[in-house]
Amino acid sequence: ENIWSNLKTAFCALAFLIVFVTLSNGLTAQNAGQQTDAAFIRKIYDQALTDGRCYPWLRDLCLGIGHRLSGSPGAEKAVNWTKAVLDTTGLDSVWLQPVMVPHWERGAPEQVQVTGSKQYGTFKLNALALGGSVGTNGKNISGEVIEVKTWEELDAYGERGTRGKIVFYNRPMDPTRIRTFEAYGSAVDQRSSGAVRAAKYGAVGVLVRSMNLRLDDYPHTGAMRYDSSYTLIPGVAISTNDAEKLSALLRAEGKATVSMRLDCRTLPDVLSYNVIGEIRGSEKPNDIIVVSGHLDSWDVGHGAHDDGAGCTQSMDVLRYFRRVGYRPRHTIRCVLFMNEENGLRGGREYAREAERKGEFHLCAIESDAGGFTPRGFSFDADDAVIGRFFEKVSDFQTLLAPYGLTLTRGGSGADIGPLKGQKGLLSGYSPDSQRYFEYHHAATDVFDAVNKRELELGAASMAALVFLLDKYGL
């Protein structure tokens, strides 16, 4: 009996030892794997911060080409330039993907002014026509101004209070929103839909407070849309300082009259291109990880933060992998989309072509929030896909936390949105957003507004995430 008891004790001890050794070996292997991953990510950051090309590339794009609205000569030059640069980086293939894009021109500078003020007389408003706006056919359009901040206020004026007048939308971006893109989302409907809603009641034009959290003298343009059921009326953005001044004038004097003259027009569609380069995957070449930005920009400033930064960061991600000798399992592709600003035709065409070719996008990452200090990435996907991914987030987060990066559920990017039906993962690169709307769609969005180190850190952060996705999949 004592022998049997001793045998049972010895057996239990042996079993415990086997389990302990197995777990220890597993943990040791896991720790070794994390150390290897951490070392490679460190190598990516070292490469970016000592031999990055995204900043000089951005300088060449901004200062050598400038703004590049779809259909413009600048857009054509940017397509040719980015393809030529990608051709020098040793990628497996670089090509142009054709896409027909809208062609809108601003024409001569806008003439928008307040007339007949008792206090100020006649004074000019800092203004930009909204993208896609009709012009005024060489004439001045004048009208008494009515100020509204909500759709309900406009509806209360109705046709009787609106016909023949100019509607002034003056709802500010909400400064209490810590995430400034949420503040933008709560105000931008005035810009996109304001002309349609005002035309329904017989207005002759609209003024829109610029989408900007700061008070300054720079108007911010951006896309608007029309509904052919109603008269097409011109739309203009005015600076936040001028919005404040006009609102104060209306309160003090009871009324104000504005005249506007716009030379903008829409021309026939133009052939343009998405610019694409890739490193072919060694194990799963038809499963693709995309890094991307949009090559087009509005026709003021240089389009530096929006979105030259995202384009040159994406280009540099692929160059990093070539420089450090990394051979990816999946195909890693850089896509520079055309026509994000006023049509999304590049993103839609890319998704259609991917479907035709039977390509699967494991993950698509878009950098379109400026070249500021990295804060992390947000992710969007089918519920099952995003649930599976977030089971891995703790491991990824441990490796990315030293670089100040967090991974959260949320949005992704406009250009990659059409890929969601593939049931892969979509991700938006999220830099610090507090200054972004000081530059967005304005003449202030110039090369000198971008910080070299912040831009390089962003590109390295994108490359680090791509590495982890490539190694571990979904």
Side-chain angles (χ1 to χ4, degrees):
E1 189 174 322
N2 287 338
I3 294 173
W4 177 244
S5 177
N6 290 337
L7 285 172
K8 284 196 297 182
T9 302
F11 177 79
C12 289
L14 179 62
F16 176 79
L17 181 61
I18 291 171
V19 171
F20 176 78
V21 170
T22 302
L23 290 175
S24 296
N25 288 339
L27 290 172
T28 300
Q30 183 180 7
N31 289 338
Q34 282 209 334
Q35 289 174 4
T36 300
D37 293 342
F40 188 79
I41 290 172
R42 179 71 259 179
K43 191 174 184 180
I44 289 173
Y45 275 87
D46 290 347
Q47 173 70 28
L49 295 171
T50 60
D51 188 36
R53 290 290 181 272
C54 53
Y55 189 73
W57 283 344
L58 182 64
R59 179 185 59 229
D60 292 345
L61 179 64
C62 290
L63 302 184
I65 296 173
H67 57 73
R68 24 189 204 280
L69 189 61
S70 293
S72 70
E76 182 179 4
K77 290 177 183 177
V79 165
N80 294 332
W81 177 82
T82 48
K83 182 180 183 300
V85 171
L86 286 174
D87 279 334
T88 68
T89 57
L91 304 183
D92 292 328
S93 54
V94 177
W95 71 98
L96 301 180
Q97 184 179 78
V99 56
M100 296 299 295
V101 298
H103 184 193
W104 178 82
E105 289 184 347
R106 183 173 304 281
E110 296 81 353
Q111 299 177 37
V112 183
Q113 57 188 7
V114 176
T115 60
S117 166
K118 296 176 184 177
Q119 182 176 2
Y120 301 107
T122 295
F123 64 92
K124 180 181 177 182
L125 297 173
N126 293 294
L128 286 173
L130 295 176
S133 175
V134 295
T136 61
N137 297 317
K139 303 175 183 177
N140 286 332
I141 290 179
S142 296
E144 185 179 332
V145 174
I146 58 171
E147 178 183 6
V148 299
K149 294 186 178 180
T150 67
W151 300 126
E152 290 76 17
E153 289 179 15
L154 177 63
D155 292 339
Y157 275 104
E159 183 173 355
R160 184 175 180 180
T162 306
R163 180 162 294 281
K165 296 180 180 178
I166 292 174
V167 176
F168 168 37
Y169 293 103
N170 192 30
R171 186 192 333 142
M173 290 174 62
D174 184 354
T176 68
R177 302 282 187 100
I178 303 303
R179 297 177 181 271
T180 60
F181 281 87
E182 292 179 359
Y184 177 71
S186 70
V188 74
D189 57 337
Q190 302 168 102
R191 191 192 74 203
S192 59
S193 304
V196 172
R197 300 287 289 263
K200 176 182 177 182
Y201 293 124
V204 296
V206 297
L207 303 174
V208 181
R209 181 191 184 99
S210 285
M211 301 297 114
N212 181 9
L213 283 160
R214 185 174 69 176
L215 291 175
D216 62 27
D217 294 321
Y218 296 99
H220 295 230
T221 188
M224 63 178 292
R225 64 176 181 83
Y226 285 119
D227 182 336
S228 59
S229 302
Y230 306 106
T231 302
L232 308 189
I233 61 175
V236 172
I238 63 173
S239 72
T240 49
N241 272 341
D242 281 346
E244 293 288 298
K245 184 176 181 178
L246 180 56
S247 182
L249 176 63
L250 287 166
R251 290 193 302 273
E253 300 187 9
K255 66 177 183 178
T257 298
V258 164
S259 72
M260 62 175 70
R261 181 169 181 156
L262 309 181
D263 194 37
C264 45
R265 58 179 182 163
T266 298
L267 300 169
D269 289 356
V270 172
L271 176 64
S272 191
Y273 303 90
N274 295 326
V275 185
I276 305 171
E278 69 179 24
I279 303 172
R280 195 78 170 155
S282 59
E283 297 177 21
K284 298 182 177 181
N286 290 326
D287 289 2
I288 299 163
I289 300 172
V290 161
V291 287
S292 66
H294 65 84
L295 194 51
D296 61 307
S297 74
W298 283 109
D299 58 331
V300 290
H302 297 153
H305 281 294
D306 186 21
D307 184 30
C311 289
T312 59
Q313 285 172 327
S314 298
M315 294 161 68
D316 222 4
V317 167
L318 270 66
R319 191 188 70 89
Y320 296 159
F321 288 131
R322 277 297 193 230
R323 292 285 291 176
V324 299
Y326 180 69
R327 189 182 182 196
R329 297 172 58 229
H330 307 82
T331 292
I332 301 177
R333 181 179 290 176
C334 166
V335 183
L336 311 180
F337 294 102
M338 181 56 67
N339 186 228
E340 186 271 350
E341 294 292 5
N342 59 340
L344 285 178
R345 295 197 192 173
R348 294 191 179 110
E349 181 61 27
Y350 179 82
R352 280 193 293 267
E353 187 67 7
E355 191 70 23
R356 186 187 69 81
K357 291 181 176 179
E359 296 175 337
F360 171 66
H361 287 73
L362 180 77
C363 182
I365 303 165
E366 184 163 359
S367 172
D368 186 19
F372 302 101
T373 300
R375 293 287 184 253
F377 297 87
S378 59
F379 297 89
D380 182 28
D382 175 88
D383 288 344
V385 173
I386 203 163
R388 191 164 64 246
F389 171 72
F390 270 88
E391 290 175 0
K392 300 181 178 183
V393 161
S394 59
D395 292 336
F396 283 22
Q397 186 68 75
T398 299
L399 291 162
L400 297 176
Y403 305 97
L405 303 176
T406 59
L407 309 178
T408 61
R409 297 177 188 240
S412 55
D415 291 297
I416 60 178
L419 292 169
K420 190 170 182 179
Q422 291 198 2
K423 299 188 184 302
L425 189 67
L426 305 181
S427 176
Y429 165 60
S430 301
D432 185 272
S433 69
Q434 301 309 315
R435 292 172 288 150
Y436 181 64
F437 290 99
E438 297 175 12
Y439 306 105
H440 187 243
H441 299 176
T444 49
D445 188 11
V446 295
F447 172 70
D448 285 345
V450 179
N451 177 274
K452 177 178 182 289
R453 184 174 178 83
E454 291 177 329
L455 187 72
E456 292 168 345
L457 285 168
S461 300
M462 293 167 66
L465 178 61
V466 169
F467 162 68
L468 292 173
L469 289 166
D470 180 58
K471 183 172 180 178
Y472 295 103
L474 294 180

